[in-house]
Structures are given as C-alpha cells and as structure tokens.
Amino acid sequence: MINILLLGSGGRECAFAWKISQSRRLGKLYIAPGNAGTQQYGTNVPIPDTDFDAIKTLVLENNINMVVVGPEAPLVKGIHDFFLEDEKLKNIPVIGPKKDGAQLEGSKDFSKQFMQRHNIPTARYRTFTKETLTEGIKFLETLQPPYVLKADGLAAGKGVVIPETLEEAKKELSDMLANARFGEASAKVVIEEFLKGIELSVFVLSDGNSYKILPEAKDYKRIGEGDTGLNTGGMGAVSPVPFATSEFMKNVEEQIVVPTISGLKKEGIIYKGFIFIGLMKVGNKPFVIEYNCRMGDPETEVVIPRMKSDIIDLFEATAKENLNEYKLEIDQRFASTVMLVAGGYPGNYDKGKEIYGLEKIKDSIAFHAGTKHQGNTIVTNGGRVIAITSLGGTLDEALNKSYGSASKISYEKKYYRNDIGKDLIPLLH
Ligand code: AMP
Ligand code: GLY
C-alpha cells in the first residue's frame, strides 16, 4: 500500500484526489492544503504547498511514500530538489519536475530559447529588459497588430497582454519594464508574433526518459460567453477535442513532443512529471504558445475522468522510469466540465457564501475548486468555486449533464458560461 501526499488546493487537485482514492493500491491520501472536496477522498492538512519544512515533517510523521505536486509554485521553488537534497527524503519520489525543468513554465525567455534550440515550432520572438526598452519599442514597430507581450516570470496567469494598437503596446511594454507592472516577473519581457488559429492543450507525462501522451483538451479562458472579456484561470473544458484529428496529433507528437523530451534529455534535465503544452493550431500546423510544468486546471477535470487505468501505477512508472511499459487506457466518451465561479471574478469577488444543492448532483462529478468547510456547511473560498464534470457518448450529452447539474447548485452571485463546448458541436456533424 502506498501513502500519498498531494500538494495543492484547486479543482485539479480535487480531480487527482478523486482518481487516486479509487486505486486499490492506496494506503492513505493526504492533501495539503486541499479544499472541502478533497476532504471526501483523503485527509486535508492545513499547510501551504510551498512550506517545504512543514511538508517534510508531514511526510516523515505519516510515512508518506510519494508526493504528487499539483500547482507550479512549489515546483518552481524547488520542492523536488529539496527532497533529493535531504538524506531522509531523497528516496521518496516526487511527481513533478525539478527546478531546472520547471523553468519551462517559470521563465518564458528560457522556454522560448529552449524551443529555438530544439527547432520546436513557436511564434517568432525577442526578449527585452529595462536597459533595452528603446529597442523593444522599435521591435514593436516592425510587427503587425495585435501585439503579444509576456512577462518572463510567474505572474499568477496574468502576465500575458495582447494590445490591439501600437500605442497601447508601447505603453504596456514601458509599464512592464520600467514600472515593474508585474514586479520581478516583468524584469524581462518576451514580445512575440501573434498567431491566428484555434487553441488546445496537450498533456505529456515524462519519466525523464520515455513519455505518455494523455488525452488532449480545450479550455475556455475568457470570463464572457463567445470568448469575450477578461482572461481567467479557465471557465470550462472538454476532451477529446474534435479538431485534434489523429493526423494533427501525429504532427504534435513528431514536431513537438519528441523534440521536447529529447531536448530536455540533451540538456541534462531529468524531467519526471507533467508537461502541459499550450498549442495553437494554425491551419493544420501546431505551434507552442507555452509550456507549463504541471497539469492544466480545469483541463485535469476532463482528462483524469477519461483515464481508465490506475493512476498510482502511472505515477510509480514515472518514478521508476518505466512509463513505456505502462498501458494507458482511455475512455472513448466525451468529458465536459463547467466551472461555477464567484460573481465579480476574475476581478473582486466575495468569499464565504454558503453553497447549496451539492447532494442533488447525480449525473456529474462536482470537483471542488475554491471551497471550504465552515462548521457544518460548505462555503465558497475562491474565484473558481466548483467544476462540474460529466461524461457522455456525445459531446452534447456530456454538456447537457454538466449544465443540468450546474443549475442544481446555488450560492449568492453564482456565475458560469453557458457556451462551453458549443463551438465544437458543429465540427462533429
Ligand atoms: P497564458 O496566460 O500564458 O496562458 O496566455 C494567455 C493567452 O494568450 C493564451 O491562452 C493565448 O490565447 C494567448 N496567446 C499567447 N501567446 C499568443 C500568441 N503568440 N499568439 C496569439 N495568442 C497568444
Ligand atoms: N487552464 C489553463 C491553465 O491551467 O494554465
């Protein structure tokens, strides 16, 4: 039996906890810090996922045999390195890359250079600092609108701005570099060519040597229907993606996944963990928009429910570097998830609103994102509150179940998009 510690507290972690709890090989599952949903599948421990000393104590006191890392922050801060450097922790596998691999997400400049070194298709770009601001402005003048400006470091998903006019782009660049709009994260700014196409997310699990491609997903990032308004962490997702044909996915594997894995190896980066590849399909060609060193949220909420095989076996194969022997079984049905959020999100919103109706959900799984227990009730505790996932023989069926369930949950100022997946339905006929 294996005792697992899962780090994180979102919908992604709730989906992982749900799946891990189904494994016949699970001893005890701990989640730090978790949410009201993860508590159904294991034991929440109220410590931050970046407090390495507290994590060490927890792991040693509870005989934890494996650590699965959900979000990027502990990875970029070096949780995996911390384990390897500690006499008592070094033999406990961590699912998630070391600091060197996490740079794929931690630094846009690093990831763009990596793609260039390994001929991985991506938008043309240049990187600028405060010292080269004038050159940056000149570079903008050579590009066509809209303009894509990316803060180099982690900026809580807000570090990408896409101004429509040259004037706004120049102002934005100065703001990021000279006025440190995103603090240290925008000490460097990547400016890149705008790619016109349709986005999807591809997930790869690497054991440092071989890899497995998981089901792809499409995420809906904007707050408003018809992809309008501010960017969010993600308002819903579907998997599989109808336009990710087998021919397209073969191109993704050959042109992107293989050179990424071999590039990491060539650079001496032993990468054991998830690689989330944000892709733009331009015509029939894939281009990398970004790498993340973790699974996506809410994509995990549709990818994991489509996995039929045991997830502890999958993690163990990753730790033992025999992923190529693991047989990944995928449910052929469609999965959809609809994110219920707090009114006002991604701007200011309230927390602590009581959530009603969870017990009425029968056709879907309610993966909690921002929730917590308050006495005997469950209350909202974040902008993204609950992801409602459903499976169906058709995309329509999955979506109908998710929307049916979404209407049964209530809390003050509940909001969700009504058009998740709807753009894809015509592609299926
Ligand atoms: P991120 O915050 O890194 O997920 O990026 C935010 C969004 O910006 C992406 O999901 C894309 O929709 C968009 N984006 C980033 N880079 C480009 C690009 N080169 N061309 C077009 N859109 C982009
Ligand atoms: N859904 C996008 C992300 O996890 O970054």
Side-chain angles (χ1 to χ4, degrees):
M1 295 303 234
I2 295 190
N3 297 330
I4 294 188
L5 169 63
L6 170 64
L7 297 179
S9 61
R12 167 182 51 214
E13 287 74 25
C14 195
F16 273 136
W18 171 82
K19 182 73 182 167
I20 292 170
S21 73
Q22 292 165 19
S23 172
R24 54 187 162 70
R25 301 190 50 207
L26 180 67
K28 286 205 77 174
L29 172 63
Y30 297 87
I31 310 99
N35 60 36
T38 61
Q39 183 75 55
Q40 301 165 261
Y41 311 117
T43 307
N44 286 350
V45 187
I47 56 175
D49 55 25
T50 47
D51 184 343
F52 295 177
D53 291 324
I55 290 169
K56 174 176 174 176
T57 308
L58 178 72
V59 165
L60 295 176
E61 282 179 356
N62 297 284
N63 294 317
I64 283 163
N65 315 106
M66 179 184 281
V67 179
V68 178
V69 187
E72 64 280 12
L75 296 168
V76 173
K77 194 180 166 194
I79 182 93
H80 197 152
D81 311 68
F82 175 84
F83 269 63
L84 290 175
E85 286 155 15
D86 189 290
E87 253 337 284
K88 293 194 177 124
L89 299 178
K90 68 179 184 197
N91 293 321
I92 300 171
V94 176
I95 305 303
K98 290 183 287 168
K99 229 172 170 172
D100 54 3
Q103 283 302 293
L104 280 185
E105 174 165 4
S107 166
K108 302 263 189 219
D109 182 43
F110 172 85
S111 75
K112 292 297 282 191
Q113 290 193 33
F114 176 87
M115 288 183 252
Q116 247 185 355
R117 281 196 293 275
H118 302 290
N119 284 318
I120 296 166
T122 188
R124 276 195 311 129
Y125 83 105
R126 280 182 61 187
T127 302
F128 299 93
T129 60
K130 200 167 165 179
E131 287 68 40
T132 56
L133 174 58
T134 325
E135 289 158 51
I137 301 240
K138 283 201 191 117
F139 181 63
L140 283 172
E141 287 168 354
T142 70
L143 300 174
Q144 297 300 314
Y147 304 87
V148 183
L149 279 64
K150 301 184 170 181
D152 175 58
L154 293 185
K158 298 201 169 73
V160 177
V161 280
I162 308 190
E164 291 291 334
T165 68
L166 182 59
E167 201 184 334
E168 281 173 86
K170 288 181 178 174
K171 193 170 161 296
E172 194 63 56
L173 184 66
S174 313
D175 218 28
M176 283 165 97
L177 290 174
N179 305 333
R181 159 133 183 238
F182 298 106
E184 198 38 43
S186 64
K188 282 189 203 167
V189 172
V190 166
I191 301 180
E192 66 179 37
E193 188 181 42
F194 182 83
L195 296 170
K196 203 165 163 38
I198 181 158
E199 275 183 79
L200 75 156
S201 311
V202 168
F203 304 97
V204 182
L205 183 59
S206 158
D207 66 8
N209 201 22
S210 59
Y211 65 87
K212 278 279 169 236
I213 300 182
L214 307 178
E216 76 287 350
K218 185 176 193 293
D219 166 29
Y220 292 77
K221 286 210 171 83
R222 303 294 195 94
I223 188 71
E225 287 169 13
D227 292 325
T228 53
L230 294 174
N231 251 322
T232 70
M235 296 294 292
V238 302
S239 176
V241 178
F243 59 82
T245 58
S246 53
E247 188 198 344
F248 177 76
M249 290 305 288
K250 187 165 167 273
N251 288 341
V252 171
E253 179 160 16
E254 285 170 3
Q255 295 166 24
I256 292 167
V257 177
V258 170
T260 299
I261 299 292
S262 67
L264 288 167
K265 270 198 272 185
K266 276 184 209 147
E267 300 195 8
I269 297 175
I270 303 166
Y271 195 109
K272 293 190 179 204
F274 294 101
I275 309 175
F276 162 163
I277 311 178
L279 290 177
M280 189 73 86
K281 182 179 186 227
V282 183
N284 215 12
K285 268 190 71 80
F287 288 83
V288 178
I289 291 190
E290 61 168 355
Y291 287 115
N292 294 307
C293 60
R294 52 173 173 85
M295 282 295 289
D297 192 354
E299 290 96 324
T300 307
E301 291 93 305
V302 288
V303 171
I304 292 294
R306 292 191 59 218
M307 240 187 88
K308 293 209 266 189
S309 24
D310 188 283
I311 200 166
I312 294 186
D313 289 344
L314 179 70
F315 289 148
E316 199 172 60
T318 306
K320 292 192 170 152
E321 295 183 26
N322 51 24
L323 256 186
N324 50 353
E325 286 164 30
Y326 179 82
K327 188 116 188 56
L328 181 64
E329 273 180 77
I330 300 301
D331 191 327
Q332 295 306 313
R333 286 177 296 171
F334 280 89
S336 64
T337 199
V338 173
M339 189 65 82
L340 310 185
V341 306
Y345 172 81
N348 295 332
Y349 55 84
D350 294 332
K351 291 185 185 177
K353 301 294 177 197
E354 187 166 349
I355 302 170
Y356 304 93
L358 282 163
E359 72 291 347
K360 293 188 205 147
I361 306 301
K362 300 278 185 278
D363 295 334
S364 312
I365 317 162
F367 291 127
H368 293 222
T371 67
K372 67 170 187 185
H373 283 286
Q374 198 167 74
N376 285 332
T377 63
I378 294 177
V379 299
T380 66
N381 191 38
R384 294 194 291 173
V385 178
I386 294 171
I388 309 276
T389 296
S390 317
L391 287 158
T394 62
L395 179 55
D396 255 329
E397 188 191 333
L399 287 166
N400 285 339
K401 286 187 189 169
S402 284
Y403 280 114
S405 302
S407 69
K408 293 186 177 139
I409 292 185
S410 60
Y411 54 86
E412 218 178 292
K413 295 196 187 153
K414 176 181 81 166
Y415 170 76
Y416 55 93
R417 273 179 64 167
N418 264 301
D419 65 341
I420 302 302
K422 305 260 160 99
D423 56 322
L424 301 175
I425 289 173
L427 304 180
L428 291 162
H429 297 300

